[in-house]
Amino acid sequence: MRSVKGAVARWVGLAFAWVGLALVILIAGASSARADKVVVGSKNFSESRLLAEMFAQLIESRTSLQVERRFNLAGTAICFGALESGDIDLYPEYTGTGFVTLLNLPVASGPDALSPAQVLAVVRREFRARHDMEWLGPLGFENAYEVAVTRAVAERFKLVTIGDLANVDARLRFAFGYEFMEREDGLVGLRRVYGLQPQDLTGMQQSLKYQAAGDGRIDVLDVYTTDGLILVHDLVILQDDRGVFPPYAAAPLVRGATLREYPELAVALGELTSVLDESGMRELNRQAEVDQVPIETVAATFLANLSGENAVHEIPTDSDRDLSFFAYLWAQRGDLLGQTGTHLLLVAIALVLGVLVALPLGLFLHRRASSAETVIRGVGVLQTIPSIALLAFMIPALGVGAKPAVAALFLYSLFPILRNTYTGVSGADPNAVESARALGMTSGQVMRSVRLPLAAPIIMAGLRTAAVISVGTATLAAFIGAGGLGQPIVSGLQLNDTRIVLSGAIPAALLALAVDALLGGLERRLRPKGLAGSK
Amino acid sequence: MNDRSDPILQARDVHVHYTGGVHALRGVSVHVATGETVALVGESGSGKSTLLKTFNRLVEPTQGEVRVRGEAVDAGRPEELRRSIGYIQQESSLLPHWTVGRNVGLVPRLLGWPRERVEVRTQELLALVGLEPAAYVDRYPLQLSGGQRQRVAFARALAGEAKVVLMDEPFGALDPLIRHDMQREFSQWRERLGISTLMVTHDLQVAARLADRIAVMRDGEILQVGSARELSEAPATSYVQDLLRRGEVTI
């Protein structure tokens, strides 16, 4: 039985090696956390990142605190969830969003409409009471939701207000952001107050909407007041004369606990109070989005002008955007290598956990054949949850960052490993299994020495499927701040820059191929000799 | 030869109901005396394989009594019972990921024999079944012909010094030329090792050639038991008479 033990030992050894690696990483990660450090978050659009970068640079220059940046969190719910759970300490938020989306308060229209100062007063009071969070001084500009149309459409239909739009809505093509479609201060309110009924409605990423409007493929879109791209694409903003959109003053939203621990934050961020009007913000957004100046540079230059100093970051004379794709990849190699490492780590930890759960479960179900299909189908349902939704479900329990991403990838890895383990073990050559039993092997020996080795190639195939799925899905982890190769993909999508998207997408695809090849090699080594296909 | 006082295998009034209502055996009694070979002959579905498997507890009777060497089969652990009984199937049942040597040494290792003894026994058995040990011990089943694989299966069934062997169509998958040789050689191995055999076959010729007695089965019952001559001289039913005329059971 020596080589039986050998085979088992190989499997067990492999599993332990992975777990050991995972533990080392987790411990290393945990011990490096929390040393007078604040985490600044942002939503996944340019202005939010830009403001967050300003906050970060200001904190770094005015205090002794270390700053960790967790930008690009996917939407209000995830960003606010992260703040609530303490995964981030502050992020730029808009008072109107706080009022309508987070507090669920009704927007009064017409003469009862609240002024910006009143809205600020309400959110300050309510956030302090309900969430122990503080709204610091607003930056001075309002970035409201607006409904815009192309100039050609505005002139053809003589559109001035959103009410005018509601009269011709059946004849126009609409594209709205996904969040906008669900918000009370968005399409929901527009339907209710104006009776707007878009017939031809597409959900679309913000940066793509502008491109589509510029190309004449859509007529109506939601925009932010301060978007630099409104100017570029010559859009006309329709008046919200019935007050669906409340005032949206941008301000740092900070955890109360963080502020009590580091009161210097309020002083530092206070320097930004009322320093930017709409046109100033629109100009900064244009630099970032249209000229593609790095947000670090835009933020640094602005802060330097603000305090009358020279910019800390030099504006590069020849910007990155003129580089060819390969030159760009080369210039980004440091970041990409780090992102590839993070990506691999997320996948590796998830797969190890997946194997540790799904493999024993598959063996267990073999003995419970009557309930096996039910259980496996139940696990299969997990596979049908859209990735971004599953990632979002994780946030209340696990916050943002690597933990929820690993948890989601783990859940996705279960089904292929479980299905293949069960099928491989149960379907192992019935003649070989019967003879092993008939000659006196115990059921444990039959499992270890016959079923498991015969199933090894099928189990490995399941693991390879799981690995390829994980490498692909992990690109979405960037939406919840876990980093990885999804980061350039998300940024590229927002900047509508194919080159940046590809700088994440191509390495991710190559990584999937490499991981599959690596596991293929492992499969050939684990495939018992004597089976068809082994060396 | 018919020492009825001490049969090595004995079944009395055995019934087997499978879940789903199939009544596979309907009160069957049969015995194999020490040194004897008995053949179970019948169509597929007649219950002959089911009856065979009650002796090593691959099938548990719903009712009735099954004894091996005078002891009820369910008196101890099934694994220990099985290690004392050889078992050979029709299809190659060797473990494909094990070498020939390891396959043959399976039961001795399960019995806890010291390694040297296992090795010696493996070589003996390979030599007995006509496979040069040095040439075959490290090969894998897929590297052998069908006939060679069945020889290894015989060696494996006999390696643990079992005194009784259950065989389920052991020659069924072999091509006709090899089949004949193997049957002849099997008679020699049987004499050399002094084993008793219960064998399932649909081939009456094989049964007549190898078995001391033949039990004809149909629909879960034994119609008649006797030597080939007894069956042909006094067939109990027209089915048995028919069978003898055709020489082979239709499958």
Side-chain angles (χ1 to χ4, degrees):
Chain A
M1 300 272 144
R2 197 158 40 99
S3 56
V4 178
K5 281 183 190 145
V8 172
R10 260 200 317 249
W11 281 81
V12 171
L14 198 70
F16 273 101
W18 280 107
V19 176
L21 180 71
L23 283 178
V24 167
I25 289 154
L26 287 177
I27 291 164
S31 61
S32 69
R34 293 287 156 192
D36 282 338
K37 185 187 76 175
V38 293
V39 183
V40 179
S42 88
K43 298 190 195 176
N44 55 350
F45 56 88
S46 182
E47 180 173 294
S48 188
R49 279 197 306 267
L50 189 52
L51 294 177
E53 179 62 28
M54 283 183 198
F55 297 172
Q57 289 188 13
L58 204 55
I59 296 167
E60 282 169 336
S61 68
R62 301 293 191 267
T63 72
S64 59
L65 296 171
Q66 295 210 329
V67 176
E68 184 184 328
R69 291 163 172 78
R70 273 226 182 138
F71 293 175
N72 275 327
L73 300 171
T76 301
I78 288 177
C79 221
F80 180 73
L83 189 67
E84 208 167 26
S85 65
D87 283 310
I88 61 177
D89 293 300
L90 67 148
Y91 75 98
E93 186 53 283
Y94 302 90
T95 53
T97 302
F99 191 88
V100 178
T101 309
L102 297 173
L103 294 176
N104 273 317
L105 297 175
V107 186
S109 49
D112 300 333
L114 297 174
S115 70
Q118 287 170 313
V119 170
L120 179 62
V122 171
V123 295
R124 276 193 164 150
R125 186 182 67 229
E126 293 301 318
F127 273 73
R128 191 173 295 150
R130 296 193 202 177
H131 302 295
D132 187 21
M133 291 175 189
E134 295 291 337
W135 290 83
L136 300 183
L139 279 76
F141 67 90
E142 291 233 4
N143 189 9
Y145 273 122
E146 314 258 19
V147 175
V149 292
T150 57
R151 184 161 302 281
V153 167
E155 285 171 0
R156 188 166 146 223
F157 294 101
K158 301 194 167 36
L159 302 179
V160 178
T161 66
I162 299 177
D164 297 340
L165 179 66
N167 295 328
V168 292
D169 52 10
R171 300 161 66 181
L172 298 175
R173 293 162 298 170
F174 290 71
F176 286 150
Y178 296 101
E179 189 171 329
F180 183 80
M181 287 198 267
E182 304 301 328
R183 285 172 71 130
E184 176 56 36
D185 54 339
L187 184 55
V188 178
L190 293 178
R191 282 188 204 277
R192 191 168 48 73
V193 174
Y194 290 99
L196 190 70
Q197 298 292 345
Q199 307 292 312
D200 176 359
L201 173 61
T202 318
M204 219 183 263
Q205 265 264 343
Q206 204 200 358
S207 56
L208 301 179
K209 274 183 315 207
Y210 284 108
Q211 188 70 52
D215 297 347
R217 282 179 282 119
I218 59 165
D219 306 309
V220 186
L221 64 162
D222 63 299
V223 300
Y224 302 125
T225 314
T226 52
D227 278 345
L229 290 165
I230 294 173
L231 304 174
V232 175
H233 293 294
D234 196 18
L235 302 175
V236 175
I237 290 175
L238 301 179
Q239 289 169 22
D240 174 27
D241 54 342
R242 292 162 76 176
V244 167
F245 303 128
Y248 294 85
L253 180 58
V254 193
R255 285 171 63 80
T258 308
L259 219 47
R260 284 190 292 278
E261 198 175 350
Y262 309 116
E264 62 266 39
L265 279 178
V267 179
L269 294 172
E271 290 184 37
L272 287 174
T273 306
S274 302
V275 295
L276 263 172
D277 59 9
E278 281 84 9
S279 65
M281 190 67 228
R282 201 176 290 149
E283 169 57 21
L284 296 184
N285 284 336
R286 198 191 55 75
Q287 288 175 17
E289 288 182 282
V290 182
D291 297 346
Q292 300 200 354
V293 179
I295 57 165
E296 294 83 357
T297 312
V298 177
T301 311
F302 174 78
L303 292 176
N305 291 336
L306 193 63
S307 52
E309 297 162 9
N310 288 325
V312 194
H313 290 61
E314 288 284 314
I315 298 176
T317 42
D318 66 325
S319 161
D320 265 1
R321 72 201 160 110
D322 296 327
L323 298 174
S324 76
F325 175 63
F326 292 102
Y328 178 79
L329 272 189
W330 182 247
Q332 298 295 315
R333 64 190 182 279
D335 284 352
L336 285 176
L337 212 61
Q339 284 155 355
T340 306
T342 309
H343 204 93
L344 263 180
L345 206 59
L346 293 174
V347 170
I349 296 173
L351 283 184
V352 169
L353 296 174
V355 169
L356 288 180
V357 171
L359 188 73
L361 182 60
L363 302 186
F364 174 78
L365 287 179
H366 169 67
R367 305 216 167 162
R368 299 273 185 291
S370 55
S371 53
E373 279 305 321
T374 316
V375 173
I376 294 172
R377 239 173 263 141
V379 172
V381 169
L382 286 174
Q383 220 71 18
T384 67
I385 303 176
S387 335
I388 197 73
L390 186 61
L391 288 168
F393 290 156
M394 296 292 156
I395 290 177
L398 297 171
V400 295
K403 269 189 281 177
V406 166
L409 295 178
F410 159 75
L411 291 178
Y412 280 128
S413 76
L414 289 179
F415 181 68
I417 302 174
L418 177 64
R419 165 62 76 194
N420 282 37
T421 301
Y422 177 75
T423 304
V425 162
S426 300
D429 181 357
N431 282 322
V433 168
E434 185 181 87
S435 77
R437 282 184 68 210
L439 291 172
M441 277 196 189
T442 62
S443 57
Q445 288 168 328
V446 171
M447 178 57 82
R448 283 193 304 279
S449 307
V450 184
R451 288 188 186 275
L452 209 46
L454 294 184
I458 300 174
I459 296 174
M460 281 303 297
L463 184 59
R464 285 169 73 174
T465 308
V468 172
I469 291 174
S470 289
V471 171
T473 310
T475 55
L476 295 174
F479 280 112
I480 54 169
L485 288 168
Q487 215 155 290
I489 297 178
V490 173
S491 309
L493 282 176
Q494 272 136 31
L495 294 172
N496 195 15
D497 184 332
T498 316
R499 206 182 41 176
I500 303 179
V501 173
L502 290 179
S503 78
I506 291 176
L510 293 177
L511 196 61
L513 291 176
V515 167
D516 189 51
L518 190 82
L519 289 174
L522 186 66
E523 176 188 334
R524 278 188 295 282
R525 287 195 54 190
L526 281 175
R527 181 187 286 267
K529 275 191 195 168
L531 294 193
S534 66
K535 286 178 286 188
Chain B
M1 195 166 271
N2 282 8
D3 186 358
R4 283 175 180 275
S5 66
D6 187 21
I8 193 157
L9 298 179
Q10 179 150 39
R12 267 199 212 120
D13 191 31
V14 169
H15 290 258
V16 171
H17 290 266
Y18 285 124
T19 43
V22 181
H23 200 163
L25 291 181
R26 305 162 181 269
V28 169
S29 299
V30 72
H31 73 272
V32 176
T34 305
E36 190 184 28
T37 294
V38 174
L40 302 173
V41 179
E43 301 169 17
S44 54
S46 62
K48 54 194 195 303
S49 288
T50 303
L51 176 59
L52 186 83
K53 289 175 183 176
T54 60
F55 287 102
N56 62 359
R57 291 183 67 184
L58 291 179
V59 171
E60 301 280 0
T62 324
Q63 185 189 319
E65 186 184 65
V66 181
R67 289 176 176 275
V68 173
R69 287 177 296 269
E71 235 177 86
V73 288
D74 54 1
R77 292 173 53 222
E79 290 82 19
E80 276 163 26
L81 172 77
R82 290 170 187 159
R83 287 167 197 171
S84 70
I85 302 175
Y87 186 72
I88 298 167
Q89 291 152 268
Q90 172 176 12
E91 295 292 331
S92 170
S93 59
L94 301 179
L95 303 186
H97 57 302
W98 283 10
T99 60
V100 164
R102 221 170 140 201
N103 266 289
V104 173
L106 169 64
V107 179
R109 280 196 311 275
L110 289 173
L111 291 170
W113 291 11
R115 200 203 300 183
E116 306 226 321
R117 189 176 162 206
V118 175
E119 275 171 25
V120 170
R121 182 67 178 168
T122 300
Q123 310 229 335
E124 263 176 36
L125 263 297
L126 282 176
L128 176 79
V129 299
L131 297 173
E132 170 59 38
Y136 287 94
V137 76
D138 288 327
R139 293 214 204 168
Y140 285 95
L142 273 179
Q143 300 168 314
L144 305 179
S145 71
Q148 288 168 334
R149 280 202 286 268
Q150 204 62 346
R151 285 172 190 274
V152 176
F154 273 104
R156 182 176 67 168
L158 301 169
E161 297 183 340
K163 288 299 170 195
V164 58
V165 179
L166 305 173
M167 309 200 295
D168 197 346
E169 298 278 10
F171 311 106
L174 300 177
D175 72 61
L177 289 170
I178 299 173
R179 191 186 301 171
H180 200 79
D181 288 348
M182 288 267 294
Q183 286 163 8
R184 190 167 35 77
E185 288 181 69
F186 169 70
S187 306
Q188 294 163 8
W189 307 335
R190 186 178 57 179
E191 301 303 320
R192 285 263 298 273
L193 300 171
I195 52 177
S196 316
T197 311
L198 183 61
M199 171 173 68
V200 163
T201 179
H202 66 276
D203 186 340
L204 203 60
Q205 311 270 341
V206 174
R209 196 174 307 131
L210 295 179
D212 301 300
R213 288 185 301 135
I214 298 168
V216 180
M217 293 189 69
R218 193 187 191 193
D219 294 337
E221 288 176 280
I222 291 182
L223 300 179
Q224 188 172 8
V225 186
S227 66
R229 169 169 300 181
E230 283 163 8
L231 295 187
S232 66
E233 284 174 359
T237 69
S238 58
Y239 178 81
V240 176
Q241 193 170 17
D242 243 32
L243 190 70
L244 287 160
R245 199 180 312 129
R246 277 185 285 123
E248 190 166 322
V249 180
T250 46
I251 301 176

PDB file of all heavy atoms in Angstrom, chain B residues 8 61 128 171 188:
ATOM      1  N   ILE B   8     -18.683 -26.582   1.512  1.00  0.00           N
ATOM      2  CA  ILE B   8     -17.908 -25.368   1.761  1.00  0.00           C
ATOM      3  C   ILE B   8     -18.774 -24.131   1.526  1.00  0.00           C
ATOM      4  O   ILE B   8     -18.628 -23.116   2.185  1.00  0.00           O
ATOM      5  CB  ILE B   8     -16.616 -25.365   0.912  1.00  0.00           C
ATOM      6  CG1 ILE B   8     -15.662 -24.275   1.408  1.00  0.00           C
ATOM      7  CG2 ILE B   8     -16.891 -25.212  -0.574  1.00  0.00           C
ATOM      8  CD1 ILE B   8     -14.225 -24.528   1.041  1.00  0.00           C
ATOM      9  N   PRO B  61     -29.139 -11.354   1.289  1.00  0.00           N
ATOM     10  CA  PRO B  61     -30.452 -11.974   1.096  1.00  0.00           C
ATOM     11  C   PRO B  61     -31.516 -11.293   1.953  1.00  0.00           C
ATOM     12  O   PRO B  61     -31.233 -10.821   3.050  1.00  0.00           O
ATOM     13  CB  PRO B  61     -30.256 -13.410   1.566  1.00  0.00           C
ATOM     14  CG  PRO B  61     -28.827 -13.564   1.889  1.00  0.00           C
ATOM     15  CD  PRO B  61     -28.181 -12.228   1.920  1.00  0.00           C
ATOM     16  N   LEU B 128       2.208 -19.639 -12.053  1.00  0.00           N
ATOM     17  CA  LEU B 128       1.148 -20.636 -12.166  1.00  0.00           C
ATOM     18  C   LEU B 128       0.234 -20.352 -13.360  1.00  0.00           C
ATOM     19  O   LEU B 128      -0.130 -21.239 -14.115  1.00  0.00           O
ATOM     20  CB  LEU B 128       0.312 -20.671 -10.874  1.00  0.00           C
ATOM     21  CG  LEU B 128      -0.901 -21.615 -10.914  1.00  0.00           C
ATOM     22  CD1 LEU B 128      -0.462 -23.065 -10.699  1.00  0.00           C
ATOM     23  CD2 LEU B 128      -1.950 -21.231  -9.875  1.00  0.00           C
ATOM     24  N   PHE B 171     -14.846 -16.718 -18.449  1.00  0.00           N
ATOM     25  CA  PHE B 171     -14.261 -16.878 -19.790  1.00  0.00           C
ATOM     26  C   PHE B 171     -15.081 -16.132 -20.839  1.00  0.00           C
ATOM     27  O   PHE B 171     -14.799 -16.190 -22.031  1.00  0.00           O
ATOM     28  CB  PHE B 171     -14.194 -18.363 -20.169  1.00  0.00           C
ATOM     29  CG  PHE B 171     -13.576 -19.213 -19.077  1.00  0.00           C
ATOM     30  CD1 PHE B 171     -14.357 -20.051 -18.295  1.00  0.00           C
ATOM     31  CD2 PHE B 171     -12.207 -19.145 -18.845  1.00  0.00           C
ATOM     32  CE1 PHE B 171     -13.784 -20.817 -17.295  1.00  0.00           C
ATOM     33  CE2 PHE B 171     -11.635 -19.908 -17.835  1.00  0.00           C
ATOM     34  CZ  PHE B 171     -12.428 -20.752 -17.059  1.00  0.00           C
ATOM     35  N   GLN B 188      -6.394 -27.411 -14.396  1.00  0.00           N
ATOM     36  CA  GLN B 188      -5.118 -27.799 -13.771  1.00  0.00           C
ATOM     37  C   GLN B 188      -4.853 -26.992 -12.489  1.00  0.00           C
ATOM     38  O   GLN B 188      -4.486 -27.542 -11.457  1.00  0.00           O
ATOM     39  CB  GLN B 188      -3.956 -27.585 -14.756  1.00  0.00           C
ATOM     40  CG  GLN B 188      -4.047 -28.514 -15.958  1.00  0.00           C
ATOM     41  CD  GLN B 188      -3.158 -28.027 -17.102  1.00  0.00           C
ATOM     42  OE1 GLN B 188      -2.367 -27.089 -16.945  1.00  0.00           O
ATOM     43  NE2 GLN B 188      -3.293 -28.665 -18.260  1.00  0.00           N
TER      44      GLN B 188
END
